[in-house]
């Protein structure tokens, strides 16, 4: 049975790759920009802490609801149409949130923001993975991650500046502007190679001698076995738990206690981790494009796990170094599932898999903090970070084992920008 791939002539340029990456980053900015304003905005309309928690949770619920449908639709409808509809809807709902003057409407609009935001990012990642050249997938995914990290940092900075200068009401409309600008960029200079519909082609040649011998596992067919699907889900789930319960949860709690840091010190450590990740990720992308899979998974999971354990330290410098290690390790681990998804699944199934894994990740983001903070409360915060480190390793080790088995490599279509 033939599989699908893009025509060899449809090799994406660097600018086209940047357009899709910028759509992902700008979509993320729509919720990153409003983070500093939500508590103040809610308080101005008499929304208490308990309801504010529901408001924040509603966004995560929306993302869970939006991921998988978007992944399915991007494989059945023109991808550009799916992205445009979801992105324009996201911009409209984000801007109109400024008009929500009670808890009910704020919850409804934040849920809708989550649905449309999840759909936009999932659809963009799906087209990015299925359209990236086989010999440049690592660099493409690392570039998308760099853009995401940069957008998150810029979003918080922009939100704080608008809040300070223009007031809370204008933060929401401003948050939609970057996404609209990127949509105009794609309108003027479309990312045609990524938006192109896949076409049927002959089955790819077997490139691994063990494939020819009939080796079991992923090499026997383009459709990945259930074990690999479970592995992708487990790693993504564990990674999001570590990020939301660890980096955004226990690390700030521990920083102001045994870590001995003040807010400025914690901010500096987090910023250093982001900068270090931005420097390392392009190099890791090239490493992945050279064929490495299992070693990056194990090394990054071990680095993040050791960093999480290290934040239980009472030394300020060791705590700060551990925060940087967690940031680098989680960033590296985060790009491997995308590369593996693109090489192990046919293009028409990539969207579904991106939807599935992102749904698993968002579930981890929702459930992880509650469980980990319960452990930290019943036992102590040190037990919480130990649990996070163990979860990463338990998910990463079996996944790495799956990746050292023989596999069929996708035929190269040239490098980005060729």
């Amino acid at each position: 049975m033939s599989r699908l791939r893009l025509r060899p002539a449809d090799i994406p340029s660097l600018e086209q790759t940047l357009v899709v990456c910028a759509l992902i980053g700008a979509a993320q900015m729509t919720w990153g920009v409003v983070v500093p304003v939500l508590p103040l905005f809610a308080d101005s309309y008499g929304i208490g802490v308990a309801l504010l928690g529901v408001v924040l949770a509603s966004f995560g619920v929306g993302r869970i609801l939006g991921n998988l449908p978007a992944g399915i639709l991007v494989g059945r409808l023109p991808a550009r149409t799916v992205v445009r509809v979801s992105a324009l809807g996201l911009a409209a709902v984000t801007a109109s949130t400024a008009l929500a003057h009670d808890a009910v409407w704020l919850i409804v609009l934040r849920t809708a923001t989550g649905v449309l935001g999840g759909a936009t990012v999932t659809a963009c990642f799906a087209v990015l993975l299925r359209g990236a050249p086989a010999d440049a997938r690592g660099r493409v995914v690392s570039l998308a991650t760099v853009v995401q990290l940069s957008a998150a940092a810029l979003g918080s900075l922009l939100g704080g500046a608008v809040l300070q200068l223009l007031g809370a009401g204008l933060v929401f409309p401003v948050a939609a502007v970057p996404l609209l600008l990127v949509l105009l960029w794609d309108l003027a200079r479309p990312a045609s190679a990524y938006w192109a519909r896949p076409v049927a082609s002959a089955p790819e040649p077997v490139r691994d001698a063990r494939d020819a011998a009939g080796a079991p596992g992923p090499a026997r067919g383009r459709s990945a076995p259930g074990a690999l699907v479970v592995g992708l889900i487990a790693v993504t789930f564990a990674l999001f738990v570590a990020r939301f319960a660890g980096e955004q949860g226990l690390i700030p709690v521990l920083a102001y206690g045994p870590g001995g840091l003040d807010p400025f010190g914690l901010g500096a450590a987090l910023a250093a981790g982001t900068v270090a990740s931005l420097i390392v990720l392009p190099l890791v992308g090239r490493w992945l494009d050279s064929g490495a899979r299992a070693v990056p998974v194990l090394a990054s999971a071990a680095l993040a796990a050791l960093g999480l354990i290290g934040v239980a330290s009472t030394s300020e410098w060791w705590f700060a170094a551990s925060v940087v290690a967690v940031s680098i390790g989680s960033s590296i681990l985060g790009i491997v599932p995308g590369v593996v998804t693109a090489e192990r699944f046919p293009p028409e199934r990539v969207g579904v898999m991106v939807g599935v894994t992102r749904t698993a990740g968002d579930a981890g983001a929702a459930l992880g903090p509650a469980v980990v903070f319960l452990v930290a409360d019943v036992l102590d915060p040190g037990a919480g970070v130990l649990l996070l480190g163990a979860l990463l390793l338990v998910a990463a080790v079996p996944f790495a084992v799956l990746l050292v088995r023989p596999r069929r490599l996708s035929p190269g279509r040239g490098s980005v920008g060729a």
Side-chain angles (χ1 to χ4, degrees), residues 222-254:
R222 189 61 177 174
S223 59
L228 183 60
V229 175
V230 173
L232 286 165
I233 290 173
V235 167
T236 308
F237 178 85
L239 182 62
F240 273 62
V241 170
R243 283 176 175 169
F244 284 84
E247 290 182 77
Q248 300 179 27
L250 282 180
I251 283 180
V253 170
L254 289 168

Side-chain angles (χ1 to χ4, degrees), residues 64-78:
I64 293 174
L65 295 175
N67 289 329
L68 187 54
I72 294 172
L73 288 175
V74 83
R76 298 182 178 180
L77 300 175

